Amino acid sequence: MADDSTSAFQAGRTALIVRIPEAEPAVRGWRERLDPSAQAGVPAHVTVLFPFLDESRMDALVHSALVDVLGSHPAFDLKFERCGRLPGVLHLVPDPDTQLRQLTEAIADRWPEAPPYGGRFAEIVPHLTIAQGQEDAVLEEIEADLAVRLPFTSRVSSVELIVHDGTKWQERASFALGERGRSRNRP
């Protein structure tokens, strides 16, 4: 969810993300200070689609369609070995990123009214944001710190639907990959 300030986090806004818990020990401190999504309660993640449909549209039909679309994709492993940069963003690079792109494309194809990042970018670049809007010296310090903490591998077996409640992001549902018909709702 990089490239968005906290002002873009409106109540009812939703996102689909892949949690990367293995990244937390390395990036938590940096993200809490330098990534607005972390400050708003989002764990270390790679975005599948943001913004997704407004929360008011999250009904049984959308839920069922997400189960079908995401369940048709197998679980996979990602390796994080290096940092990368986008304009104003320092991030970890997932490798390979093909499956992440396929998830994004599948969701965007099913819901064309919800293009990735609102259609602001021509290319989707899967990434795990660490810091936004910092000077090069700060980014270089972070990269040096992370160099000794990488690599790590993460198993991706689900996609989470998160919703902004006006203050924080909350997980609402988890959709298993490779297992049509299975999902887990969160109250």
Side-chain angles (χ1 to χ4, degrees), residues 3-9 36 132:
D3 304 314
D4 283 298
S5 67
T6 53
S7 64
F9 299 153
Q132 296 185 50

Side-chain angles (χ1 to χ4, degrees), residues 159-186:
V159 173
E160 277 60 57
L161 170 69
I162 60 174
V163 178
H164 199 270
D165 65 9
T167 304
K168 293 281 186 187
W169 287 92
Q170 306 288 332
E171 184 178 321
R172 290 293 163 81
S174 181
F175 299 91
L177 296 178
E179 300 180 40
R180 283 187 185 264
R182 290 189 58 214
S183 73
R184 184 177 73 249
N185 285 317
R186 300 267 165 104

Side-chain angles (χ1 to χ4, degrees), residues 3-131:
D3 304 314
D4 283 298
S5 67
T6 53
S7 64
F9 299 153
Q10 302 160 356
R13 184 156 276 186
T14 67
L16 294 165
I17 65 168
V18 169
R19 287 179 181 260
I20 309 293
E22 296 82 359
E24 291 289 354
V27 304
R28 179 180 298 134
W30 294 116
R31 288 187 70 246
E32 286 175 353
R33 288 180 26 222
L34 305 172
D35 178 9
S37 71
Q39 296 163 12
V42 182
H45 70 284
V46 176
T47 300
V48 174
L49 191 74
F50 172 80
F52 188 48
L53 306 176
D54 188 83
E55 182 182 25
S56 64
R57 294 193 51 200
M58 293 294 120
D59 60 14
L61 292 174
V62 170
H63 183 90
S64 178
L66 283 167
V67 168
D68 288 344
V69 170
L70 295 169
S72 69
H73 292 265
F76 55 93
D77 291 327
L78 292 174
K79 192 166 191 174
F80 295 85
E81 298 179 290
R82 64 185 176 88
C83 292
R85 294 194 191 183
L86 295 167
V89 176
L90 177 70
H91 62 91
L92 294 180
V93 177
D95 185 44
D97 70 2
T98 306
Q99 295 97 329
L100 292 164
R101 289 175 191 268
Q102 290 170 345
L103 290 173
T104 299
E105 290 165 0
I107 297 295
D109 286 349
R110 174 61 181 82
W111 287 278
E113 69 273 32
Y117 297 103
R120 290 177 26 207
F121 306 105
E123 182 183 3
I124 300 306
V125 179
H127 59 280
L128 190 157
T129 299
I130 301 165

Side-chain angles (χ1 to χ4, degrees), residues 146-162:
L146 293 176
V148 299
R149 300 171 185 259
L150 299 175
F152 63 85
T153 300
S154 183
R155 180 77 177 160
V156 176
S157 58
S158 65
V159 173
E160 277 60 57
L161 170 69
I162 60 174

